[in-house]
Amino acid sequence: MMEVERTRRTARGWTIIALRWIAALAVLGVLLHFLPLETVRSAIARVPPEHFIAALAGYLLAHSVGVFKWRMVVNAAGAELDLATSLQCYGGGLFGTLFLPSIVGGDVIRLAVGLRRSPRPAAVLAGNVVDRFLDVSAQAALVTLGLALLPGSLPESLRLIGTRTLLLSTTIGAALFAIVFLLRGSLLRGRSVRFRRRLARLRHALRSVSSRPHILVAGWLAGTFVQATFLVLTAWLATSCGLHLPLRIWLFAWPLAKLAALLPITQGGIGVREAALVALLAPFGAPGPLVLAAGLVWEGVVVTGGIIAGLAAFATGRRNKPASLR
């Protein structure tokens, strides 16, 4: 019976992956229907291969900083993970974000490996939650900087979108925290002693990392550096496509497009990110075909980088398994 249920879940997972890839192709097809395909293709052809390779190298180097950041945060919570295991968790997470049937697919892989390799599984979970919070804060910081640098040239509609996005993210976070805090009694009522012990360990891990503000600040700075690097690389590739925009405009539009890609519509946000960029940059006079071309080239960097990260995680896991599996 359990085997049948497991088979059904696997089939359902692959079905979700297929549907999301179909949705991604459909969104891109709609964009190409309204934008001249020949212009998009010629803009992509302008990108020299060495620029693509350099952007890919920069993407992977930025994520190497992300590996150290993630390890620093989860170890501050008490996870005690070595660098090889952290690379396996992080690289597998990048691969899972693109090829698993969930917007949290990357986190599933990170936790699946980290929980088995750490003597304190609760610390891995708590540290990963804090790391995600730092990444979202870094995105919000870039949007805020873009709003600050575009006070006069930013259209009123886009100013409202940026402001409301920040307010909505803050409100949702505060509301979730308030709900958990107010319902903590009913959530714990009737739970087993084992569950309460696990929850206590998780709370202790969260307190451990929150009691080290220098770790949180360093993690936030590292996350901001990683996201800013991706933004600069995207703008550089867009310049190769023939799209010349001030960096302050990218500071506003790029983080919002990435937040839009978190919607569970397409696999890895493919298509949604490009559509959001086209819509956000149109008021600044950016030609839609060139924006789409730049987005597709960057998507190629992301997909290629995700595959390389997955291979690196697989190779590291095979080499690291005898020494670190607990």
PDB file of all heavy atoms in Angstrom, residues 10 13-18 20-21 59 91-106 109 266-270 299-311:
ATOM      1  N   THR A  10       4.987  10.227  -6.744  1.00  0.00           N
ATOM      2  CA  THR A  10       6.015  10.475  -7.743  1.00  0.00           C
ATOM      3  C   THR A  10       5.395  10.892  -9.071  1.00  0.00           C
ATOM      4  O   THR A  10       5.848  11.842  -9.721  1.00  0.00           O
ATOM      5  CB  THR A  10       6.885   9.228  -7.944  1.00  0.00           C
ATOM      6  OG1 THR A  10       7.461   8.845  -6.687  1.00  0.00           O
ATOM      7  CG2 THR A  10       7.988   9.483  -8.946  1.00  0.00           C
ATOM      8  N   GLY A  13       4.102  14.350  -8.811  1.00  0.00           N
ATOM      9  CA  GLY A  13       5.186  15.324  -8.852  1.00  0.00           C
ATOM     10  C   GLY A  13       5.670  15.587 -10.269  1.00  0.00           C
ATOM     11  O   GLY A  13       5.855  16.735 -10.669  1.00  0.00           O
ATOM     12  N   TRP A  14       5.863  14.519 -11.034  1.00  0.00           N
ATOM     13  CA  TRP A  14       6.308  14.702 -12.423  1.00  0.00           C
ATOM     14  C   TRP A  14       5.244  15.395 -13.257  1.00  0.00           C
ATOM     15  O   TRP A  14       5.563  16.156 -14.185  1.00  0.00           O
ATOM     16  CB  TRP A  14       6.666  13.353 -13.038  1.00  0.00           C
ATOM     17  CG  TRP A  14       7.985  12.831 -12.587  1.00  0.00           C
ATOM     18  CD1 TRP A  14       8.224  11.773 -11.754  1.00  0.00           C
ATOM     19  CD2 TRP A  14       9.279  13.358 -12.924  1.00  0.00           C
ATOM     20  NE1 TRP A  14       9.571  11.608 -11.556  1.00  0.00           N
ATOM     21  CE2 TRP A  14      10.247  12.568 -12.256  1.00  0.00           C
ATOM     22  CE3 TRP A  14       9.709  14.417 -13.716  1.00  0.00           C
ATOM     23  CZ2 TRP A  14      11.609  12.808 -12.381  1.00  0.00           C
ATOM     24  CZ3 TRP A  14      11.066  14.651 -13.835  1.00  0.00           C
ATOM     25  CH2 TRP A  14      11.999  13.855 -13.172  1.00  0.00           C
ATOM     26  N   THR A  15       3.982  15.150 -12.954  1.00  0.00           N
ATOM     27  CA  THR A  15       2.907  15.836 -13.675  1.00  0.00           C
ATOM     28  C   THR A  15       2.950  17.338 -13.413  1.00  0.00           C
ATOM     29  O   THR A  15       2.781  18.154 -14.327  1.00  0.00           O
ATOM     30  CB  THR A  15       1.539  15.264 -13.256  1.00  0.00           C
ATOM     31  OG1 THR A  15       1.499  13.869 -13.528  1.00  0.00           O
ATOM     32  CG2 THR A  15       0.420  15.962 -14.013  1.00  0.00           C
ATOM     33  N   ILE A  16       3.186  17.703 -12.156  1.00  0.00           N
ATOM     34  CA  ILE A  16       3.273  19.126 -11.810  1.00  0.00           C
ATOM     35  C   ILE A  16       4.449  19.772 -12.531  1.00  0.00           C
ATOM     36  O   ILE A  16       4.344  20.892 -13.059  1.00  0.00           O
ATOM     37  CB  ILE A  16       3.403  19.290 -10.289  1.00  0.00           C
ATOM     38  CG1 ILE A  16       2.110  18.842  -9.596  1.00  0.00           C
ATOM     39  CG2 ILE A  16       3.704  20.741  -9.922  1.00  0.00           C
ATOM     40  CD1 ILE A  16       2.206  18.845  -8.095  1.00  0.00           C
ATOM     41  N   ILE A  17       5.597  19.069 -12.571  1.00  0.00           N
ATOM     42  CA  ILE A  17       6.761  19.602 -13.283  1.00  0.00           C
ATOM     43  C   ILE A  17       6.427  19.835 -14.755  1.00  0.00           C
ATOM     44  O   ILE A  17       6.726  20.905 -15.322  1.00  0.00           O
ATOM     45  CB  ILE A  17       7.954  18.640 -13.154  1.00  0.00           C
ATOM     46  CG1 ILE A  17       8.478  18.609 -11.710  1.00  0.00           C
ATOM     47  CG2 ILE A  17       9.089  19.059 -14.089  1.00  0.00           C
ATOM     48  CD1 ILE A  17       9.599  17.622 -11.499  1.00  0.00           C
ATOM     49  N   ALA A  18       5.800  18.841 -15.389  1.00  0.00           N
ATOM     50  CA  ALA A  18       5.462  18.971 -16.811  1.00  0.00           C
ATOM     51  C   ALA A  18       4.506  20.133 -17.048  1.00  0.00           C
ATOM     52  O   ALA A  18       4.684  20.919 -17.993  1.00  0.00           O
ATOM     53  CB  ALA A  18       4.841  17.661 -17.316  1.00  0.00           C
ATOM     54  N   ARG A  20       4.119  22.818 -15.257  1.00  0.00           N
ATOM     55  CA  ARG A  20       4.771  24.118 -15.043  1.00  0.00           C
ATOM     56  C   ARG A  20       5.726  24.464 -16.176  1.00  0.00           C
ATOM     57  O   ARG A  20       5.872  25.633 -16.528  1.00  0.00           O
ATOM     58  CB  ARG A  20       5.481  24.129 -13.694  1.00  0.00           C
ATOM     59  CG  ARG A  20       4.492  24.205 -12.535  1.00  0.00           C
ATOM     60  CD  ARG A  20       5.172  24.354 -11.204  1.00  0.00           C
ATOM     61  NE  ARG A  20       4.189  24.573 -10.152  1.00  0.00           N
ATOM     62  CZ  ARG A  20       4.458  24.601  -8.867  1.00  0.00           C
ATOM     63  NH1 ARG A  20       5.711  24.442  -8.458  1.00  0.00           N
ATOM     64  NH2 ARG A  20       3.516  24.804  -7.978  1.00  0.00           N
ATOM     65  N   TRP A  21       6.392  23.462 -16.743  1.00  0.00           N
ATOM     66  CA  TRP A  21       7.211  23.744 -17.915  1.00  0.00           C
ATOM     67  C   TRP A  21       6.341  24.144 -19.096  1.00  0.00           C
ATOM     68  O   TRP A  21       6.702  25.032 -19.882  1.00  0.00           O
ATOM     69  CB  TRP A  21       8.063  22.534 -18.271  1.00  0.00           C
ATOM     70  CG  TRP A  21       9.343  22.444 -17.496  1.00  0.00           C
ATOM     71  CD1 TRP A  21       9.655  21.562 -16.505  1.00  0.00           C
ATOM     72  CD2 TRP A  21      10.493  23.287 -17.641  1.00  0.00           C
ATOM     73  NE1 TRP A  21      10.922  21.801 -16.025  1.00  0.00           N
ATOM     74  CE2 TRP A  21      11.464  22.851 -16.700  1.00  0.00           C
ATOM     75  CE3 TRP A  21      10.796  24.365 -18.464  1.00  0.00           C
ATOM     76  CZ2 TRP A  21      12.702  23.460 -16.582  1.00  0.00           C
ATOM     77  CZ3 TRP A  21      12.034  24.974 -18.347  1.00  0.00           C
ATOM     78  CH2 TRP A  21      12.973  24.522 -17.405  1.00  0.00           C
ATOM     79  N   TYR A  59      28.012  34.255 -12.119  1.00  0.00           N
ATOM     80  CA  TYR A  59      26.847  33.677 -11.435  1.00  0.00           C
ATOM     81  C   TYR A  59      27.278  32.593 -10.451  1.00  0.00           C
ATOM     82  O   TYR A  59      26.825  32.567  -9.294  1.00  0.00           O
ATOM     83  CB  TYR A  59      25.904  33.107 -12.493  1.00  0.00           C
ATOM     84  CG  TYR A  59      24.675  32.423 -11.959  1.00  0.00           C
ATOM     85  CD1 TYR A  59      23.558  33.152 -11.571  1.00  0.00           C
ATOM     86  CD2 TYR A  59      24.616  31.035 -11.869  1.00  0.00           C
ATOM     87  CE1 TYR A  59      22.415  32.528 -11.099  1.00  0.00           C
ATOM     88  CE2 TYR A  59      23.485  30.398 -11.400  1.00  0.00           C
ATOM     89  CZ  TYR A  59      22.388  31.147 -11.012  1.00  0.00           C
ATOM     90  OH  TYR A  59      21.265  30.509 -10.532  1.00  0.00           O
ATOM     91  N   GLY A  91      24.156  23.510  -3.561  1.00  0.00           N
ATOM     92  CA  GLY A  91      24.121  23.189  -4.985  1.00  0.00           C
ATOM     93  C   GLY A  91      22.903  22.358  -5.353  1.00  0.00           C
ATOM     94  O   GLY A  91      22.263  22.600  -6.383  1.00  0.00           O
ATOM     95  N   GLY A  92      22.569  21.390  -4.493  1.00  0.00           N
ATOM     96  CA  GLY A  92      21.355  20.625  -4.732  1.00  0.00           C
ATOM     97  C   GLY A  92      20.118  21.498  -4.674  1.00  0.00           C
ATOM     98  O   GLY A  92      19.147  21.285  -5.410  1.00  0.00           O
ATOM     99  N   GLY A  93      20.140  22.517  -3.812  1.00  0.00           N
ATOM    100  CA  GLY A  93      19.008  23.433  -3.731  1.00  0.00           C
ATOM    101  C   GLY A  93      18.831  24.240  -5.004  1.00  0.00           C
ATOM    102  O   GLY A  93      17.696  24.452  -5.460  1.00  0.00           O
ATOM    103  N   LEU A  94      19.926  24.707  -5.600  1.00  0.00           N
ATOM    104  CA  LEU A  94      19.830  25.438  -6.867  1.00  0.00           C
ATOM    105  C   LEU A  94      19.231  24.562  -7.967  1.00  0.00           C
ATOM    106  O   LEU A  94      18.384  25.002  -8.753  1.00  0.00           O
ATOM    107  CB  LEU A  94      21.211  25.922  -7.296  1.00  0.00           C
ATOM    108  CG  LEU A  94      21.807  27.120  -6.550  1.00  0.00           C
ATOM    109  CD1 LEU A  94      23.169  27.463  -7.132  1.00  0.00           C
ATOM    110  CD2 LEU A  94      20.886  28.312  -6.625  1.00  0.00           C
ATOM    111  N   PHE A  95      19.681  23.313  -8.012  1.00  0.00           N
ATOM    112  CA  PHE A  95      19.142  22.387  -9.007  1.00  0.00           C
ATOM    113  C   PHE A  95      17.664  22.117  -8.753  1.00  0.00           C
ATOM    114  O   PHE A  95      16.855  22.110  -9.676  1.00  0.00           O
ATOM    115  CB  PHE A  95      19.938  21.083  -8.976  1.00  0.00           C
ATOM    116  CG  PHE A  95      19.500  20.077  -9.990  1.00  0.00           C
ATOM    117  CD1 PHE A  95      19.987  20.121 -11.283  1.00  0.00           C
ATOM    118  CD2 PHE A  95      18.602  19.073  -9.653  1.00  0.00           C
ATOM    119  CE1 PHE A  95      19.585  19.193 -12.232  1.00  0.00           C
ATOM    120  CE2 PHE A  95      18.187  18.141 -10.597  1.00  0.00           C
ATOM    121  CZ  PHE A  95      18.681  18.198 -11.888  1.00  0.00           C
ATOM    122  N   GLY A  96      17.310  21.916  -7.486  1.00  0.00           N
ATOM    123  CA  GLY A  96      15.926  21.595  -7.147  1.00  0.00           C
ATOM    124  C   GLY A  96      14.966  22.727  -7.433  1.00  0.00           C
ATOM    125  O   GLY A  96      13.804  22.495  -7.766  1.00  0.00           O
ATOM    126  N   THR A  97      15.426  23.975  -7.320  1.00  0.00           N
ATOM    127  CA  THR A  97      14.557  25.107  -7.613  1.00  0.00           C
ATOM    128  C   THR A  97      14.080  25.079  -9.052  1.00  0.00           C
ATOM    129  O   THR A  97      12.957  25.472  -9.358  1.00  0.00           O
ATOM    130  CB  THR A  97      15.308  26.424  -7.338  1.00  0.00           C
ATOM    131  OG1 THR A  97      15.694  26.460  -5.957  1.00  0.00           O
ATOM    132  CG2 THR A  97      14.436  27.623  -7.646  1.00  0.00           C
ATOM    133  N   LEU A  98      14.921  24.577  -9.953  1.00  0.00           N
ATOM    134  CA  LEU A  98      14.566  24.526 -11.366  1.00  0.00           C
ATOM    135  C   LEU A  98      13.816  23.258 -11.750  1.00  0.00           C
ATOM    136  O   LEU A  98      12.981  23.285 -12.651  1.00  0.00           O
ATOM    137  CB  LEU A  98      15.831  24.628 -12.222  1.00  0.00           C
ATOM    138  CG  LEU A  98      16.553  25.977 -12.222  1.00  0.00           C
ATOM    139  CD1 LEU A  98      17.864  25.863 -12.977  1.00  0.00           C
ATOM    140  CD2 LEU A  98      15.682  27.051 -12.854  1.00  0.00           C
ATOM    141  N   PHE A  99      14.092  22.149 -11.068  1.00  0.00           N
ATOM    142  CA  PHE A  99      13.620  20.866 -11.572  1.00  0.00           C
ATOM    143  C   PHE A  99      12.788  20.063 -10.581  1.00  0.00           C
ATOM    144  O   PHE A  99      12.514  18.895 -10.831  1.00  0.00           O
ATOM    145  CB  PHE A  99      14.825  20.025 -12.027  1.00  0.00           C
ATOM    146  CG  PHE A  99      15.629  20.689 -13.101  1.00  0.00           C
ATOM    147  CD1 PHE A  99      16.861  21.246 -12.820  1.00  0.00           C
ATOM    148  CD2 PHE A  99      15.142  20.770 -14.391  1.00  0.00           C
ATOM    149  CE1 PHE A  99      17.603  21.869 -13.807  1.00  0.00           C
ATOM    150  CE2 PHE A  99      15.876  21.389 -15.390  1.00  0.00           C
ATOM    151  CZ  PHE A  99      17.108  21.945 -15.098  1.00  0.00           C
ATOM    152  N   LEU A 100      12.384  20.653  -9.461  1.00  0.00           N
ATOM    153  CA  LEU A 100      11.482  19.972  -8.552  1.00  0.00           C
ATOM    154  C   LEU A 100      10.107  20.629  -8.586  1.00  0.00           C
ATOM    155  O   LEU A 100      10.001  21.834  -8.836  1.00  0.00           O
ATOM    156  CB  LEU A 100      12.026  19.982  -7.124  1.00  0.00           C
ATOM    157  CG  LEU A 100      13.172  19.004  -6.833  1.00  0.00           C
ATOM    158  CD1 LEU A 100      13.527  19.042  -5.363  1.00  0.00           C
ATOM    159  CD2 LEU A 100      12.817  17.590  -7.241  1.00  0.00           C
ATOM    160  N   PRO A 101       9.025  19.878  -8.311  1.00  0.00           N
ATOM    161  CA  PRO A 101       7.663  20.390  -8.484  1.00  0.00           C
ATOM    162  C   PRO A 101       7.192  21.258  -7.330  1.00  0.00           C
ATOM    163  O   PRO A 101       6.129  21.042  -6.772  1.00  0.00           O
ATOM    164  CB  PRO A 101       6.831  19.104  -8.576  1.00  0.00           C
ATOM    165  CG  PRO A 101       7.561  18.138  -7.720  1.00  0.00           C
ATOM    166  CD  PRO A 101       9.027  18.450  -7.940  1.00  0.00           C
ATOM    167  N   SER A 102       7.972  22.251  -6.945  1.00  0.00           N
ATOM    168  CA  SER A 102       7.566  23.110  -5.843  1.00  0.00           C
ATOM    169  C   SER A 102       8.444  24.337  -5.833  1.00  0.00           C
ATOM    170  O   SER A 102       9.619  24.286  -6.210  1.00  0.00           O
ATOM    171  CB  SER A 102       7.678  22.376  -4.499  1.00  0.00           C
ATOM    172  OG  SER A 102       7.461  23.285  -3.437  1.00  0.00           O
ATOM    173  N   ILE A 103       7.888  25.491  -5.398  1.00  0.00           N
ATOM    174  CA  ILE A 103       8.694  26.697  -5.282  1.00  0.00           C
ATOM    175  C   ILE A 103       9.681  26.571  -4.137  1.00  0.00           C
ATOM    176  O   ILE A 103      10.625  27.346  -4.043  1.00  0.00           O
ATOM    177  CB  ILE A 103       7.800  27.935  -5.093  1.00  0.00           C
ATOM    178  CG1 ILE A 103       6.936  27.783  -3.829  1.00  0.00           C
ATOM    179  CG2 ILE A 103       6.946  28.193  -6.294  1.00  0.00           C
ATOM    180  CD1 ILE A 103       6.141  29.024  -3.499  1.00  0.00           C
ATOM    181  N   VAL A 104       9.462  25.593  -3.255  1.00  0.00           N
ATOM    182  CA  VAL A 104      10.404  25.362  -2.162  1.00  0.00           C
ATOM    183  C   VAL A 104      11.210  24.094  -2.415  1.00  0.00           C
ATOM    184  O   VAL A 104      11.762  23.513  -1.496  1.00  0.00           O
ATOM    185  CB  VAL A 104       9.664  25.262  -0.807  1.00  0.00           C
ATOM    186  CG1 VAL A 104       9.018  26.575  -0.450  1.00  0.00           C
ATOM    187  CG2 VAL A 104       8.619  24.141  -0.825  1.00  0.00           C
ATOM    188  N   GLY A 105      11.274  23.675  -3.689  1.00  0.00           N
ATOM    189  CA  GLY A 105      12.000  22.452  -4.005  1.00  0.00           C
ATOM    190  C   GLY A 105      13.451  22.528  -3.614  1.00  0.00           C
ATOM    191  O   GLY A 105      14.041  21.548  -3.146  1.00  0.00           O
ATOM    192  N   GLY A 106      14.076  23.709  -3.793  1.00  0.00           N
ATOM    193  CA  GLY A 106      15.460  23.864  -3.392  1.00  0.00           C
ATOM    194  C   GLY A 106      15.653  23.693  -1.908  1.00  0.00           C
ATOM    195  O   GLY A 106      16.619  23.058  -1.458  1.00  0.00           O
ATOM    196  N   ILE A 109      15.669  19.979  -0.828  1.00  0.00           N
ATOM    197  CA  ILE A 109      16.948  19.275  -0.988  1.00  0.00           C
ATOM    198  C   ILE A 109      17.944  19.723   0.072  1.00  0.00           C
ATOM    199  O   ILE A 109      18.667  18.914   0.659  1.00  0.00           O
ATOM    200  CB  ILE A 109      17.515  19.510  -2.396  1.00  0.00           C
ATOM    201  CG1 ILE A 109      16.653  18.781  -3.424  1.00  0.00           C
ATOM    202  CG2 ILE A 109      18.953  19.035  -2.496  1.00  0.00           C
ATOM    203  CD1 ILE A 109      17.189  18.817  -4.830  1.00  0.00           C
ATOM    204  N   THR A 266       4.938  28.868 -13.059  1.00  0.00           N
ATOM    205  CA  THR A 266       5.819  28.173 -13.985  1.00  0.00           C
ATOM    206  C   THR A 266       6.989  27.573 -13.216  1.00  0.00           C
ATOM    207  O   THR A 266       7.234  27.915 -12.059  1.00  0.00           O
ATOM    208  CB  THR A 266       6.345  29.128 -15.071  1.00  0.00           C
ATOM    209  OG1 THR A 266       7.148  30.147 -14.440  1.00  0.00           O
ATOM    210  CG2 THR A 266       5.197  29.793 -15.815  1.00  0.00           C
ATOM    211  N   GLN A 267       7.730  26.690 -13.874  1.00  0.00           N
ATOM    212  CA  GLN A 267       8.860  26.032 -13.233  1.00  0.00           C
ATOM    213  C   GLN A 267      10.018  27.013 -13.088  1.00  0.00           C
ATOM    214  O   GLN A 267      10.516  27.558 -14.070  1.00  0.00           O
ATOM    215  CB  GLN A 267       9.302  24.820 -14.048  1.00  0.00           C
ATOM    216  CG  GLN A 267      10.272  23.918 -13.328  1.00  0.00           C
ATOM    217  CD  GLN A 267       9.647  23.229 -12.117  1.00  0.00           C
ATOM    218  OE1 GLN A 267       8.444  23.079 -12.035  1.00  0.00           O
ATOM    219  NE2 GLN A 267      10.473  22.826 -11.166  1.00  0.00           N
ATOM    220  N   GLY A 268      10.437  27.253 -11.851  1.00  0.00           N
ATOM    221  CA  GLY A 268      11.537  28.162 -11.597  1.00  0.00           C
ATOM    222  C   GLY A 268      11.241  29.603 -11.936  1.00  0.00           C
ATOM    223  O   GLY A 268      12.164  30.412 -12.040  1.00  0.00           O
ATOM    224  N   GLY A 269       9.952  29.965 -12.133  1.00  0.00           N
ATOM    225  CA  GLY A 269       9.610  31.332 -12.495  1.00  0.00           C
ATOM    226  C   GLY A 269       9.931  31.695 -13.920  1.00  0.00           C
ATOM    227  O   GLY A 269       9.844  32.880 -14.298  1.00  0.00           O
ATOM    228  N   ILE A 270      10.299  30.707 -14.749  1.00  0.00           N
ATOM    229  CA  ILE A 270      10.646  30.978 -16.144  1.00  0.00           C
ATOM    230  C   ILE A 270       9.416  31.504 -16.881  1.00  0.00           C
ATOM    231  O   ILE A 270       8.330  30.942 -16.802  1.00  0.00           O
ATOM    232  CB  ILE A 270      11.177  29.709 -16.824  1.00  0.00           C
ATOM    233  CG1 ILE A 270      12.468  29.253 -16.140  1.00  0.00           C
ATOM    234  CG2 ILE A 270      11.428  29.934 -18.309  1.00  0.00           C
ATOM    235  CD1 ILE A 270      12.997  27.927 -16.640  1.00  0.00           C
ATOM    236  N   GLU A 299      18.171  33.849 -18.387  1.00  0.00           N
ATOM    237  CA  GLU A 299      17.549  32.567 -18.036  1.00  0.00           C
ATOM    238  C   GLU A 299      18.450  31.418 -18.441  1.00  0.00           C
ATOM    239  O   GLU A 299      18.550  30.397 -17.731  1.00  0.00           O
ATOM    240  CB  GLU A 299      16.201  32.449 -18.732  1.00  0.00           C
ATOM    241  CG  GLU A 299      15.213  31.555 -18.029  1.00  0.00           C
ATOM    242  CD  GLU A 299      14.765  32.122 -16.692  1.00  0.00           C
ATOM    243  OE1 GLU A 299      14.017  33.087 -16.663  1.00  0.00           O
ATOM    244  OE2 GLU A 299      15.196  31.550 -15.651  1.00  0.00           O
ATOM    245  N   GLY A 300      19.135  31.559 -19.575  1.00  0.00           N
ATOM    246  CA  GLY A 300      20.092  30.535 -19.980  1.00  0.00           C
ATOM    247  C   GLY A 300      21.231  30.397 -18.986  1.00  0.00           C
ATOM    248  O   GLY A 300      21.683  29.283 -18.694  1.00  0.00           O
ATOM    249  N   VAL A 301      21.691  31.531 -18.442  1.00  0.00           N
ATOM    250  CA  VAL A 301      22.730  31.487 -17.420  1.00  0.00           C
ATOM    251  C   VAL A 301      22.222  30.768 -16.176  1.00  0.00           C
ATOM    252  O   VAL A 301      22.922  29.923 -15.589  1.00  0.00           O
ATOM    253  CB  VAL A 301      23.187  32.922 -17.069  1.00  0.00           C
ATOM    254  CG1 VAL A 301      24.115  32.918 -15.857  1.00  0.00           C
ATOM    255  CG2 VAL A 301      23.890  33.560 -18.261  1.00  0.00           C
ATOM    256  N   VAL A 302      20.997  31.080 -15.759  1.00  0.00           N
ATOM    257  CA  VAL A 302      20.436  30.482 -14.546  1.00  0.00           C
ATOM    258  C   VAL A 302      20.259  28.976 -14.700  1.00  0.00           C
ATOM    259  O   VAL A 302      20.618  28.196 -13.804  1.00  0.00           O
ATOM    260  CB  VAL A 302      19.087  31.155 -14.202  1.00  0.00           C
ATOM    261  CG1 VAL A 302      18.394  30.428 -13.054  1.00  0.00           C
ATOM    262  CG2 VAL A 302      19.307  32.619 -13.836  1.00  0.00           C
ATOM    263  N   VAL A 303      19.710  28.548 -15.829  1.00  0.00           N
ATOM    264  CA  VAL A 303      19.478  27.109 -16.047  1.00  0.00           C
ATOM    265  C   VAL A 303      20.807  26.364 -16.136  1.00  0.00           C
ATOM    266  O   VAL A 303      20.988  25.307 -15.513  1.00  0.00           O
ATOM    267  CB  VAL A 303      18.637  26.893 -17.315  1.00  0.00           C
ATOM    268  CG1 VAL A 303      18.545  25.406 -17.645  1.00  0.00           C
ATOM    269  CG2 VAL A 303      17.238  27.469 -17.126  1.00  0.00           C
ATOM    270  N   THR A 304      21.753  26.913 -16.891  1.00  0.00           N
ATOM    271  CA  THR A 304      23.066  26.267 -17.002  1.00  0.00           C
ATOM    272  C   THR A 304      23.765  26.210 -15.644  1.00  0.00           C
ATOM    273  O   THR A 304      24.348  25.185 -15.266  1.00  0.00           O
ATOM    274  CB  THR A 304      23.952  27.021 -18.009  1.00  0.00           C
ATOM    275  OG1 THR A 304      23.262  27.149 -19.254  1.00  0.00           O
ATOM    276  CG2 THR A 304      25.262  26.282 -18.232  1.00  0.00           C
ATOM    277  N   GLY A 305      23.700  27.320 -14.902  1.00  0.00           N
ATOM    278  CA  GLY A 305      24.298  27.339 -13.566  1.00  0.00           C
ATOM    279  C   GLY A 305      23.632  26.356 -12.625  1.00  0.00           C
ATOM    280  O   GLY A 305      24.312  25.715 -11.807  1.00  0.00           O
ATOM    281  N   GLY A 306      22.318  26.207 -12.723  1.00  0.00           N
ATOM    282  CA  GLY A 306      21.616  25.243 -11.874  1.00  0.00           C
ATOM    283  C   GLY A 306      22.035  23.811 -12.165  1.00  0.00           C
ATOM    284  O   GLY A 306      22.194  22.996 -11.254  1.00  0.00           O
ATOM    285  N   ILE A 307      22.221  23.498 -13.452  1.00  0.00           N
ATOM    286  CA  ILE A 307      22.666  22.147 -13.817  1.00  0.00           C
ATOM    287  C   ILE A 307      24.080  21.891 -13.308  1.00  0.00           C
ATOM    288  O   ILE A 307      24.384  20.821 -12.756  1.00  0.00           O
ATOM    289  CB  ILE A 307      22.583  21.964 -15.336  1.00  0.00           C
ATOM    290  CG1 ILE A 307      21.117  22.006 -15.786  1.00  0.00           C
ATOM    291  CG2 ILE A 307      23.222  20.647 -15.765  1.00  0.00           C
ATOM    292  CD1 ILE A 307      20.938  21.981 -17.291  1.00  0.00           C
ATOM    293  N   ILE A 308      24.962  22.881 -13.477  1.00  0.00           N
ATOM    294  CA  ILE A 308      26.342  22.725 -12.989  1.00  0.00           C
ATOM    295  C   ILE A 308      26.348  22.572 -11.470  1.00  0.00           C
ATOM    296  O   ILE A 308      27.079  21.726 -10.914  1.00  0.00           O
ATOM    297  CB  ILE A 308      27.196  23.930 -13.416  1.00  0.00           C
ATOM    298  CG1 ILE A 308      27.361  23.941 -14.940  1.00  0.00           C
ATOM    299  CG2 ILE A 308      28.563  23.896 -12.740  1.00  0.00           C
ATOM    300  CD1 ILE A 308      28.083  25.161 -15.474  1.00  0.00           C
ATOM    301  N   ALA A 309      25.531  23.361 -10.777  1.00  0.00           N
ATOM    302  CA  ALA A 309      25.458  23.256  -9.319  1.00  0.00           C
ATOM    303  C   ALA A 309      24.940  21.886  -8.893  1.00  0.00           C
ATOM    304  O   ALA A 309      25.422  21.300  -7.912  1.00  0.00           O
ATOM    305  CB  ALA A 309      24.559  24.352  -8.757  1.00  0.00           C
ATOM    306  N   GLY A 310      23.950  21.356  -9.628  1.00  0.00           N
ATOM    307  CA  GLY A 310      23.446  20.025  -9.303  1.00  0.00           C
ATOM    308  C   GLY A 310      24.503  18.947  -9.500  1.00  0.00           C
ATOM    309  O   GLY A 310      24.627  18.035  -8.675  1.00  0.00           O
ATOM    310  N   LEU A 311      25.273  19.053 -10.580  1.00  0.00           N
ATOM    311  CA  LEU A 311      26.352  18.079 -10.812  1.00  0.00           C
ATOM    312  C   LEU A 311      27.420  18.187  -9.728  1.00  0.00           C
ATOM    313  O   LEU A 311      27.951  17.170  -9.258  1.00  0.00           O
ATOM    314  CB  LEU A 311      26.968  18.313 -12.186  1.00  0.00           C
ATOM    315  CG  LEU A 311      26.060  18.014 -13.396  1.00  0.00           C
ATOM    316  CD1 LEU A 311      26.749  18.415 -14.690  1.00  0.00           C
ATOM    317  CD2 LEU A 311      25.671  16.544 -13.429  1.00  0.00           C
TER     318      LEU A 311
END
